[in-house]
Amino acid sequence: MINLAVFFGSRSVEHEVSIITALQTILTLKENNNLNIQPIYIDKTGDWYTGDNLLEIDNFKNIKKVIANSQKINFVRENGKTYIVKSPLPTLRKGIISQVDMAFPIIHGSYGEDGSLQGFFEHMQIPYIGSSVLASATTMDKIITKLILKSSGVNVVDSVWFSADEWLNDSNKCIKLVEDNLDYPLIIKPSDIGSSIGVKVVKSKKEVEDAVNFVRKFSNRILAEKMIQNMREINISVLGDSEEVELSVCEEPISDDEFLTFDNKYNSNGSSTKGMSSAKREIPAKLTETEKNTIETMAKESFRALNLSGLCRIDFIMDTKEKKIYVNEFNTIPGSLAFYLWEATNKSFLEVLNTLIKLSSKKERNEAMLIRTNKSNILSGVKLGGLKK
């Protein structure tokens, strides 16, 4: 029996999307009788809660009531094991709720998909599902991702970037950087926020100013990117690690806007409770064999170059006029965990989740063989007198 803690919510602007994805996942994982699942809800202030009350989506219509009816918690490590305990802690034995054998982070965006939560798991020595601290942090930042992929020979859309401080110190210099390198219309977006939040299409200098002043509310790093005309968006999901990967079928999201917006992704078909799975899309996407092969090859190369593991959805942009394909962005914890892509690939959501658990166990075994600490004490036998005054 594996004690699996599923983390969701958090201070991310994608808080509600995380709740939907997590509950979709927990509902499916209940079919695995070898799991003891503990829901861990992180509220918008960063406090942690657990309880059966967290397992019903309708309860989240009133967040204050959900919190009031849940148990506030913390984590402690003792004798080589990690436990969920009540907060405040009454006494150690009475305060223990459950041991944690494995963590499943299902938080989109900041404080969950960006490596910060993975860092907590590393310190608490909790095996976890998904990509490492470095891979998560790298793919969360669109600027860093582009630099790495470009150096690896993977096609990315032309772009320039600057910091919010550089903008505030000399906005004209930043605008010149944009206009010297990119033609209008172009896209202004935050470097490290997902779900199309903060993305703006601009067609003039004045619109650049307005867009940057809007985007810097979300991020301290601003990306200006060439807007591909006659564009198609194509997504694919990758499951695996550095040794072996599986690829899903491709999808083409359907949007009436210039790009796929937050509402296109989460409020389509009159539903806001099905997450990314409710978005309009064509599965499989209509692609030539050459286009399909190119996307699959780029997906594998990108997954390897960024040292990803577990599950990822990679979004591509196709320039139908120039006949070019670009990697656009990565989602290491995608909305609905992209289960709809895997079901269309004849792999059930439960099979995907069981594979993720096996990959996490494999990662734990591999890392246990690495030398991370030094058993010798270089201070033994050394005269240390004089340090204390």
Side-chain angles (χ1 to χ4, degrees):
M1 180 70 73
I2 298 173
N3 294 300
L4 181 70
V6 179
F7 293 73
F8 59 99
S10 190
R11 291 182 287 153
S12 167
V13 293
E14 299 169 81
H15 182 97
E16 287 77 13
V17 183
S18 164
I19 294 170
I20 294 168
T21 301
L23 295 187
Q24 288 172 332
T25 302
I26 291 172
L27 183 64
T28 304
L29 282 173
K30 284 186 172 180
E31 297 175 42
N32 184 335
N33 295 323
N34 293 319
L35 299 177
N36 174 32
I37 300 170
Q38 287 289 342
I40 309 295
Y41 170 62
I42 306 175
D43 74 7
K44 292 186 178 182
T45 69
D47 288 335
W48 309 44
Y49 299 87
T50 193
D52 292 342
N53 180 55
L54 302 171
L55 298 175
E56 292 292 335
I57 188 69
D58 284 345
N59 292 343
F60 285 92
K61 292 178 179 177
N62 187 332
I63 297 289
K64 288 183 179 179
K65 192 174 178 181
V66 164
I67 291 173
N69 292 330
S70 301
Q71 173 63 55
K72 194 172 184 180
I73 59 161
N74 214 324
F75 293 83
V76 297
R77 185 159 180 85
E78 184 181 81
N79 298 327
K81 296 178 180 177
T82 305
Y83 298 94
I84 302 169
V85 297
K86 295 177 181 177
S87 178
L89 189 63
T91 63
L92 187 57
R93 289 299 171 194
K94 291 183 179 178
I96 292 176
I97 296 173
S98 175
Q99 184 178 323
V100 181
D101 300 322
M102 185 179 291
F104 197 162
I106 306 182
I107 294 172
H108 308 305
S110 308
Y111 311 112
E113 197 173 0
D114 60 357
S116 56
L117 191 56
Q118 289 77 3
F120 170 76
F121 297 147
E122 295 278 357
H123 273 286
M124 296 298 287
Q125 300 179 52
I126 307 173
Y128 57 94
I129 289 172
S131 289
S132 66
V133 174
L134 178 60
S136 299
T138 300
T139 49
M140 192 66 205
D141 190 304
K142 298 176 178 65
I143 295 169
I144 297 295
T145 301
K146 278 177 176 283
L147 293 174
I148 293 175
L149 291 182
K150 204 169 183 180
S151 67
S152 300
V154 177
N155 285 344
V156 294
V157 176
D158 291 341
S159 64
V160 295
W161 66 274
F162 47 85
S163 69
D165 284 339
E166 288 171 327
W167 173 261
L168 292 173
N169 289 334
D170 192 346
S171 60
N172 286 329
K173 184 179 178 181
C174 296
I175 291 173
K176 186 175 187 307
L177 173 70
V178 172
E179 294 186 331
D180 283 352
N181 290 278
L182 304 170
D183 295 325
Y184 292 111
L186 54 91
I187 291 176
I188 301 290
K189 62 171 74 169
S191 179
D192 53 1
I193 299 288
S195 292
S196 303
I197 292 172
V199 178
K200 295 287 184 182
V201 176
V202 298
K203 300 175 182 176
S204 67
K205 178 179 177 180
K206 177 65 171 61
E207 289 185 2
V208 170
E209 293 174 344
D210 293 342
V212 173
N213 286 326
F214 174 73
V215 168
R216 65 186 179 83
K217 295 177 183 176
F218 300 97
S219 177
N220 289 319
R221 287 153 60 84
I222 292 97
L223 183 66
E225 195 173 65
K226 174 184 177 181
M227 183 166 182
I228 302 296
Q229 304 296 320
N230 304 305
M231 178 186 74
R232 290 177 67 191
E233 291 190 46
I234 304 294
N235 302 336
I236 190 171
S237 183
V238 185
L239 178 66
D241 57 16
S242 59
E243 288 187 33
E244 186 177 7
V245 297
E246 298 177 62
L247 298 171
S248 75
V249 297
C250 294
E251 66 163 337
E252 181 170 7
I254 307 298
S255 170
D256 296 327
D257 297 296
E258 292 172 296
F259 62 94
L260 200 63
T261 65
F262 183 89
D263 283 341
N264 294 149
K265 292 177 178 177
Y266 301 113
N267 289 323
S268 296
N269 300 324
S271 173
S272 60
T273 60
K274 294 184 179 179
M276 190 67 183
S277 63
S278 68
K280 297 176 183 175
R281 56 174 56 84
E282 182 160 18
I283 303 180
K286 291 179 181 176
L287 299 168
T288 66
E289 198 62 23
T290 300
E291 291 168 342
K292 176 176 171 290
N293 290 339
T294 299
I295 288 171
E296 290 180 347
T297 300
M298 291 174 71
K300 289 179 183 177
E301 290 177 351
S302 303
F303 196 85
R304 179 179 176 279
L306 295 164
N307 195 30
L308 297 171
S309 61
L311 180 75
C312 181
R313 195 193 75 227
I314 306 177
D315 300 348
F316 290 80
I317 290 177
M318 289 181 60
D319 186 334
T320 57
K321 183 178 180 182
E322 299 293 333
K323 306 294 184 188
K324 290 184 177 178
I325 298 174
Y326 304 92
V327 171
N328 187 33
E329 65 178 62
F330 294 78
N331 298 271
T332 55
I333 306 177
S336 298
L337 299 185
F339 75 82
Y340 46 88
L341 285 175
W342 290 102
E343 288 183 344
T345 315
N346 295 321
K347 191 176 181 80
S348 72
F349 193 17
L350 181 59
E351 289 174 320
V352 171
L353 297 173
N354 287 337
T355 300
L356 287 173
I357 291 170
K358 289 178 182 175
L359 287 168
S360 176
S361 297
K362 177 185 172 186
K363 182 172 65 174
E364 181 192 9
R365 291 194 300 273
N366 290 342
E367 293 188 355
M369 293 188 287
L370 299 176
I371 298 174
R372 297 296 196 190
T373 58
N374 194 342
K375 291 183 179 179
S376 64
N377 181 2
I378 62 172
L379 298 179
S380 63
V382 177
K383 292 183 179 179
L384 300 174
L387 292 178
K388 184 177 180 181
K389 296 182 179 179

